[in-house]
Amino acid sequence: MNASASAIWVYGIGFVAQALFGLRIVIQWWQTERKGAVVSPIYFWYASLAGSTLFMIYGLLRHDPIIVVAQVLSYFIYIRNLQLKHVWMTVPVSLRAVIWCLPVGIGGLLLHSSAAGEVDAAFSGTSDWVVLAGGSGQFFLSFRFVVQLYYSEKRKVSLLPREFWIISLAGSLLVIIYAWFRSDVVLLLVQFASMFVYARNIVRLRSATVKS
């Protein structure tokens, strides 16, 4: 496979992963508009888990530890939300085992590529402040699920609080800066589109608070 074909294949995985992340936002937005309240649909979490799996693979192929490390934390929170939704145990045992072990395998492969110097090569010519922006953005996008899990565990039900959307908006802005300088069209397109939904949910939750 030549370099051009290889790049198309890698970006294809990234686009599918981001399409799944985009789909989860569309599902959440549609359900929210339909019910008139910010909700946490089951398929939001299924799409999140599938997208995270592919995005970790994309990060591995791009030799990008920022993407992989950020996804690992969110990945397990997606599983916990499926547990809170009482649907995780309906997934076949063998598939659950693969899902639990997958991040370990990807992490091992990333360490191997790092030791081979592939990670350093992928980031050569990238300014430190760009890496910092990307790392901070991905941290926010992962940390929002820690906040989400905190509120969900508190009430023992999966929910998406206002803080989740505010952190999402901040994280997206930073990732857009990172993606622009890394020429990562996959990240750029989805983060731009997602920001509108994040803002919409913040406005809806604020309106609900004012009314109450």
Side-chain angles (χ1 to χ4, degrees):
M1 185 183 295
N2 60 42
S4 177
S6 178
I8 292 171
W9 181 68
V10 171
Y11 277 117
I13 292 174
F15 271 118
V16 173
Q18 290 298 320
L20 287 166
F21 287 146
L23 177 63
R24 73 178 177 183
I25 294 297
V26 171
I27 291 170
Q28 192 279 331
W29 170 76
W30 179 69
Q31 290 283 348
T32 291
E33 295 297 328
R34 198 171 69 126
K35 297 185 178 181
V38 176
V39 296
S40 167
I42 289 173
Y43 287 102
F44 175 92
W45 301 108
Y46 278 131
S48 294
L49 190 59
S52 186
T53 299
L54 287 177
F55 205 41
M56 279 192 287
I57 294 171
Y58 171 75
L60 174 65
L61 294 172
R62 289 268 293 175
H63 309 297
D64 193 329
I66 290 176
I67 290 175
V68 175
V69 173
Q71 285 304 310
V72 168
L73 176 60
S74 304
Y75 183 90
F76 291 109
I77 293 177
Y78 301 152
I79 293 173
R80 176 57 184 154
N81 276 277
L82 288 171
Q83 291 172 337
L84 289 170
K85 288 287 189 180
H86 307 293
V87 295
W88 176 245
M89 297 306 290
T90 64
V91 177
V93 177
S94 56
L95 181 55
R96 272 184 277 146
V98 170
I99 291 171
W100 279 114
C101 296
L102 188 66
V104 177
I106 291 175
L109 290 171
L110 184 65
L111 285 173
H112 175 74
S113 68
S114 179
E118 292 171 326
V119 171
D120 289 339
F123 278 85
S124 64
T126 303
S127 300
D128 290 343
W129 74 268
V130 173
V131 175
L132 179 62
S136 299
Q138 290 290 356
F139 169 78
F140 278 126
L141 292 180
S142 294
F143 182 69
R144 63 180 173 165
F145 284 104
V146 175
V147 172
Q148 183 273 331
L149 186 62
Y150 167 76
Y151 281 95
S152 296
E153 292 290 357
K154 207 172 171 184
R155 299 190 183 183
K156 295 303 176 187
V157 61
S158 177
L159 51 84
L160 296 166
R162 183 173 61 179
E163 290 80 359
F164 173 85
W165 301 107
I166 293 171
I167 296 169
S168 296
L169 201 56
S172 272
L173 284 169
L174 289 168
V175 171
I176 284 170
I177 293 170
Y178 171 75
W180 179 268
F181 285 96
R182 284 273 288 164
S183 300
D184 195 325
V185 291
V186 171
L187 287 177
L188 271 175
L189 289 175
V190 173
Q191 291 304 323
F192 263 122
S194 298
M195 284 180 64
F196 292 102
V197 178
Y198 299 157
R200 173 61 177 156
N201 279 292
I202 291 168
V203 170
R204 181 173 284 282
L205 284 167
R206 187 171 182 274
S207 299
T209 301
V210 171
K211 287 179 183 178
S212 62

Coordinates of all heavy atoms in Angstrom, one line a residue, residues 158-208:
S158 N -28.0 7.8 34.7 CA -27.1 8.5 33.7 C -27.8 9.8 33.3 O -28.9 9.8 32.8 CB -26.9 7.5 32.5 OG -26.2 8.2 31.5
L159 N -27.0 10.9 33.5 CA -27.6 12.2 33.0 C -26.4 13.0 32.5 O -25.2 12.7 32.7 CB -28.3 12.9 34.2 CG -27.6 13.0 35.5 CD1 -26.7 14.2 35.6 CD2 -28.6 13.1 36.7
L160 N -26.8 14.1 31.8 CA -25.8 15.0 31.2 C -26.0 16.5 31.8 O -26.9 17.2 31.2 CB -25.9 15.0 29.7 CG -25.6 13.7 29.0 CD1 -26.1 13.7 27.6 CD2 -24.1 13.4 29.1
P161 N -25.3 16.8 32.9 CA -25.6 18.1 33.5 C -25.0 19.3 32.7 O -24.3 19.1 31.7 CB -24.8 18.0 34.8 CG -23.7 17.0 34.5 CD -24.3 16.1 33.5
R162 N -25.4 20.5 33.1 CA -24.9 21.7 32.4 C -23.4 21.8 32.4 O -22.8 22.2 31.4 CB -25.5 23.0 33.1 CG -25.1 24.2 32.4 CD -25.9 25.4 33.0 NE -25.5 25.7 34.4 CZ -26.0 26.7 35.1 NH1 -26.9 27.5 34.6 NH2 -25.7 26.8 36.4
E163 N -22.7 21.4 33.5 CA -21.3 21.5 33.6 C -20.6 20.7 32.5 O -19.6 21.0 32.0 CB -20.8 21.0 35.0 CG -21.1 21.9 36.1 CD -22.6 21.8 36.6 OE1 -23.4 21.0 36.1 OE2 -22.9 22.5 37.6
F164 N -21.3 19.5 32.1 CA -20.8 18.7 31.1 C -20.7 19.5 29.8 O -19.7 19.4 29.0 CB -21.7 17.5 30.9 CG -21.4 16.6 29.7 CD1 -20.4 15.6 29.8 CD2 -22.0 16.8 28.5 CE1 -20.1 14.8 28.7 CE2 -21.7 16.0 27.4 CZ -20.8 15.0 27.5
W165 N -21.7 20.2 29.4 CA -21.7 20.9 28.2 C -20.8 22.2 28.2 O -20.2 22.5 27.1 CB -23.2 21.4 27.9 CG -24.1 20.2 27.8 CD1 -25.1 19.8 28.7 CD2 -24.1 19.2 26.8 NE1 -25.7 18.7 28.3 CE2 -25.1 18.2 27.2 CE3 -23.4 19.0 25.6 CZ2 -25.4 17.1 26.4 CZ3 -23.7 17.9 24.9 CH2 -24.7 16.9 25.2
I166 N -20.7 22.8 29.3 CA -19.8 24.0 29.4 C -18.3 23.5 29.2 O -17.6 24.1 28.4 CB -19.9 24.7 30.8 CG1 -21.3 25.3 30.9 CG2 -18.8 25.7 31.0 CD1 -21.6 25.8 32.3
I167 N -17.9 22.4 29.8 CA -16.6 21.9 29.7 C -16.4 21.4 28.2 O -15.3 21.5 27.6 CB -16.3 20.7 30.7 CG1 -16.4 21.3 32.1 CG2 -15.0 20.1 30.4 CD1 -16.4 20.2 33.2
S168 N -17.4 20.8 27.6 CA -17.4 20.4 26.2 C -17.0 21.5 25.3 O -16.2 21.4 24.4 CB -18.7 19.7 25.8 OG -19.0 18.6 26.6
L169 N -17.7 22.6 25.5 CA -17.5 23.8 24.7 C -16.0 24.3 24.8 O -15.4 24.6 23.8 CB -18.4 24.9 25.1 CG -18.8 26.0 24.1 CD1 -19.3 25.4 22.8 CD2 -19.7 27.0 24.7
A170 N -15.5 24.4 26.0 CA -14.1 24.8 26.2 C -13.1 23.8 25.6 O -12.2 24.2 24.9 CB -13.8 24.9 27.7
G171 N -13.4 22.6 25.8 CA -12.5 21.5 25.2 C -12.5 21.6 23.7 O -11.5 21.5 23.0
S172 N -13.7 21.8 23.1 CA -13.8 21.9 21.6 C -13.0 23.0 21.0 O -12.3 22.9 20.0 CB -15.3 22.0 21.2 OG -15.9 20.8 21.0
L173 N -13.0 24.2 21.7 CA -12.3 25.3 21.2 C -10.8 25.0 21.2 O -10.1 25.4 20.2 CB -12.6 26.5 22.1 CG -13.9 27.2 21.9 CD1 -14.2 28.2 23.0 CD2 -14.0 27.9 20.6
L174 N -10.3 24.4 22.2 CA -8.9 24.1 22.3 C -8.5 23.0 21.2 O -7.4 23.1 20.6 CB -8.5 23.6 23.7 CG -8.5 24.7 24.8 CD1 -8.4 24.1 26.1 CD2 -7.3 25.7 24.5
V175 N -9.3 22.0 21.1 CA -9.0 20.9 20.1 C -9.1 21.5 18.7 O -8.3 21.1 17.8 CB -10.0 19.8 20.2 CG1 -9.9 18.8 19.1 CG2 -9.8 19.0 21.5
I176 N -9.9 22.5 18.4 CA -10.0 23.1 17.1 C -8.7 23.8 16.8 O -8.1 23.7 15.7 CB -11.2 24.1 17.0 CG1 -12.5 23.3 16.8 CG2 -11.0 25.1 15.8 CD1 -13.7 24.1 17.0
I177 N -8.1 24.5 17.8 CA -6.8 25.1 17.6 C -5.7 24.1 17.3 O -4.9 24.2 16.3 CB -6.4 25.9 18.9 CG1 -7.4 27.1 19.1 CG2 -5.0 26.4 18.8 CD1 -7.2 27.8 20.4
Y178 N -5.7 23.0 18.1 CA -4.8 21.9 17.9 C -4.9 21.3 16.5 O -4.0 21.1 15.8 CB -5.0 20.9 19.0 CG -4.2 19.6 18.8 CD1 -2.9 19.5 19.0 CD2 -4.9 18.4 18.4 CE1 -2.2 18.3 18.9 CE2 -4.2 17.2 18.2 CZ -2.9 17.2 18.5 OH -2.2 16.0 18.3
A179 N -6.2 21.0 16.1 CA -6.5 20.3 14.8 C -6.1 21.2 13.6 O -5.6 20.7 12.6 CB -7.9 20.0 14.7
W180 N -6.2 22.5 13.8 CA -5.9 23.4 12.7 C -4.4 23.4 12.4 O -4.0 23.3 11.2 CB -6.3 24.9 13.1 CG -5.9 25.9 12.1 CD1 -4.8 26.6 12.0 CD2 -6.7 26.3 10.9 NE1 -4.8 27.5 10.9 CE2 -6.0 27.3 10.2 CE3 -8.0 25.9 10.5 CZ2 -6.5 27.9 9.1 CZ3 -8.5 26.5 9.3 CH2 -7.7 27.4 8.6
F181 N -3.6 23.4 13.5 CA -2.1 23.4 13.3 C -1.6 22.0 13.0 O -0.5 21.9 12.4 CB -1.4 24.0 14.5 CG -1.6 25.5 14.6 CD1 -2.5 26.1 15.4 CD2 -0.7 26.3 13.9 CE1 -2.7 27.5 15.4 CE2 -0.8 27.7 13.9 CZ -1.8 28.3 14.7
R182 N -2.3 21.0 13.3 CA -1.9 19.6 13.0 C -2.5 19.2 11.6 O -2.3 18.1 11.2 CB -2.4 18.7 14.1 CG -1.6 18.7 15.3 CD -0.4 17.8 15.3 NE -0.8 16.4 15.3 CZ 0.0 15.3 15.0 NH1 1.2 15.6 14.5 NH2 -0.5 14.1 15.1
S183 N -3.3 20.1 11.0 CA -3.9 19.8 9.7 C -4.8 18.5 9.8 O -4.7 17.6 8.9 CB -2.8 19.6 8.6 OG -2.1 20.8 8.4
D184 N -5.5 18.4 10.9 CA -6.3 17.2 11.2 C -7.8 17.6 10.9 O -8.5 18.1 11.7 CB -6.2 16.7 12.6 CG -6.8 15.3 12.8 OD1 -7.8 15.0 12.2 OD2 -6.2 14.6 13.6
V185 N -8.2 17.3 9.6 CA -9.5 17.7 9.2 C -10.6 16.9 9.9 O -11.8 17.4 10.0 CB -9.7 17.6 7.6 CG1 -8.9 18.6 6.9 CG2 -9.3 16.2 7.2
V186 N -10.3 15.7 10.3 CA -11.2 14.9 11.0 C -11.7 15.6 12.3 O -12.9 15.7 12.6 CB -10.6 13.5 11.4 CG1 -11.5 12.7 12.3 CG2 -10.3 12.7 10.1
L187 N -10.7 16.0 13.1 CA -11.1 16.7 14.4 C -11.8 18.0 14.1 O -12.7 18.4 14.8 CB -9.8 17.0 15.2 CG -9.1 15.8 15.8 CD1 -7.8 16.2 16.5 CD2 -10.1 15.1 16.9
L188 N -11.3 18.8 13.1 CA -11.8 20.1 12.8 C -13.3 20.1 12.5 O -14.1 20.8 13.1 CB -11.1 20.7 11.6 CG -9.9 21.6 11.9 CD1 -9.2 22.0 10.6 CD2 -10.2 22.8 12.8
L189 N -13.7 19.2 11.6 CA -15.1 19.2 11.1 C -16.1 18.8 12.2 O -17.1 19.5 12.4 CB -15.2 18.1 10.0 CG -14.6 18.5 8.6 CD1 -14.7 17.4 7.6 CD2 -15.3 19.8 8.1
V190 N -15.7 17.8 13.0 CA -16.7 17.3 14.0 C -16.7 18.3 15.2 O -17.8 18.6 15.7 CB -16.3 15.9 14.5 CG1 -17.2 15.5 15.7 CG2 -16.5 14.9 13.3
Q191 N -15.6 18.8 15.6 CA -15.6 19.8 16.7 C -16.4 21.0 16.4 O -17.1 21.6 17.3 CB -14.2 20.1 17.2 CG -13.4 18.9 17.8 CD -14.2 18.3 19.0 OE1 -14.8 19.0 19.8 NE2 -14.1 17.0 19.1
F192 N -16.2 21.5 15.2 CA -17.0 22.7 14.8 C -18.5 22.4 14.9 O -19.3 23.2 15.4 CB -16.6 23.1 13.4 CG -15.6 24.2 13.3 CD1 -14.4 24.0 12.6 CD2 -15.8 25.4 13.9 CE1 -13.4 25.0 12.5 CE2 -14.8 26.4 13.9 CZ -13.7 26.2 13.2
A193 N -18.9 21.3 14.3 CA -20.3 20.9 14.3 C -20.9 20.7 15.7 O -22.0 21.1 16.1 CB -20.6 19.7 13.5
S194 N -20.1 20.0 16.6 CA -20.5 19.7 17.9 C -20.7 20.9 18.8 O -21.6 21.0 19.7 CB -19.5 18.8 18.6 OG -19.3 17.6 17.9
M195 N -19.9 22.0 18.5 CA -20.0 23.2 19.4 C -21.4 23.8 19.4 O -21.9 24.3 20.4 CB -19.0 24.2 18.9 CG -17.6 24.0 19.3 SD -16.4 25.2 18.7 CE -17.0 26.7 19.6
F196 N -22.1 23.7 18.3 CA -23.5 24.3 18.2 C -24.4 23.5 19.1 O -25.3 24.1 19.8 CB -24.0 24.2 16.7 CG -23.3 25.1 15.8 CD1 -22.3 24.7 15.0 CD2 -23.5 26.5 15.9 CE1 -21.6 25.5 14.1 CE2 -22.8 27.4 15.0 CZ -21.8 26.9 14.1
V197 N -24.3 22.2 19.2 CA -25.1 21.4 20.0 C -24.8 21.6 21.5 O -25.7 21.7 22.4 CB -25.0 19.9 19.7 CG1 -25.9 19.0 20.7 CG2 -25.4 19.6 18.3
Y198 N -23.5 21.7 21.8 CA -23.1 22.0 23.2 C -23.7 23.3 23.6 O -24.3 23.4 24.7 CB -21.6 22.2 23.3 CG -20.8 21.0 22.9 CD1 -19.4 21.1 22.5 CD2 -21.3 19.7 22.9 CE1 -18.7 20.0 22.1 CE2 -20.6 18.6 22.6 CZ -19.3 18.7 22.2 OH -18.5 17.6 21.8
A199 N -23.7 24.4 22.8 CA -24.2 25.7 23.1 C -25.7 25.6 23.3 O -26.3 26.2 24.2 CB -23.9 26.7 22.1
R200 N -26.4 24.8 22.4 CA -27.8 24.6 22.5 C -28.3 24.0 23.8 O -29.2 24.4 24.5 CB -28.3 23.8 21.3 CG -29.8 23.4 21.3 CD -30.7 24.6 21.3 NE -32.1 24.2 21.2 CZ -33.1 24.9 21.7 NH1 -32.9 26.1 22.1 NH2 -34.4 24.5 21.6
N201 N -27.5 23.0 24.3 CA -27.9 22.3 25.5 C -27.6 23.2 26.7 O -28.4 23.2 27.7 CB -27.1 21.0 25.7 CG -27.7 19.9 24.9 OD1 -28.7 19.4 25.2 ND2 -27.0 19.4 23.9
I202 N -26.6 24.1 26.7 CA -26.3 25.0 27.7 C -27.5 26.0 27.9 O -28.0 26.3 29.0 CB -25.0 25.8 27.5 CG1 -23.8 24.8 27.7 CG2 -24.9 26.9 28.5 CD1 -22.5 25.4 27.2
V203 N -28.0 26.5 26.7 CA -29.1 27.4 26.7 C -30.3 26.8 27.2 O -31.1 27.4 28.0 CB -29.3 28.0 25.3 CG1 -30.6 28.8 25.2 CG2 -28.2 28.8 24.8
R204 N -30.6 25.5 26.8 CA -31.8 24.8 27.2 C -31.8 24.6 28.8 O -32.8 24.8 29.5 CB -32.0 23.5 26.5 CG -33.2 22.8 26.9 CD -33.5 21.6 26.0 NE -34.0 21.9 24.7 CZ -35.3 22.2 24.5 NH1 -36.1 22.3 25.5 NH2 -35.6 22.5 23.3
L205 N -30.7 24.2 29.3 CA -30.5 23.9 30.7 C -30.6 25.2 31.5 O -31.2 25.2 32.6 CB -29.2 23.2 31.0 CG -29.2 21.7 30.6 CD1 -27.8 21.1 30.6 CD2 -30.1 20.9 31.6
R206 N -30.1 26.3 31.0 CA -30.2 27.6 31.7 C -31.6 28.0 31.7 O -32.1 28.5 32.7 CB -29.3 28.6 30.9 CG -29.2 29.9 31.7 CD -28.1 30.8 31.0 NE -28.0 32.1 31.7 CZ -28.8 33.1 31.5 NH1 -29.7 33.1 30.6 NH2 -28.6 34.3 32.2
S207 N -32.3 27.8 30.6 CA -33.8 28.2 30.6 C -34.6 27.4 31.5 O -35.5 27.9 32.2 CB -34.3 28.0 29.1 OG -33.6 28.8 28.2
A208 N -34.2 26.1 31.7 CA -35.0 25.2 32.6 C -34.7 25.7 34.0 O -35.6 25.6 34.9 CB -34.5 23.8 32.4

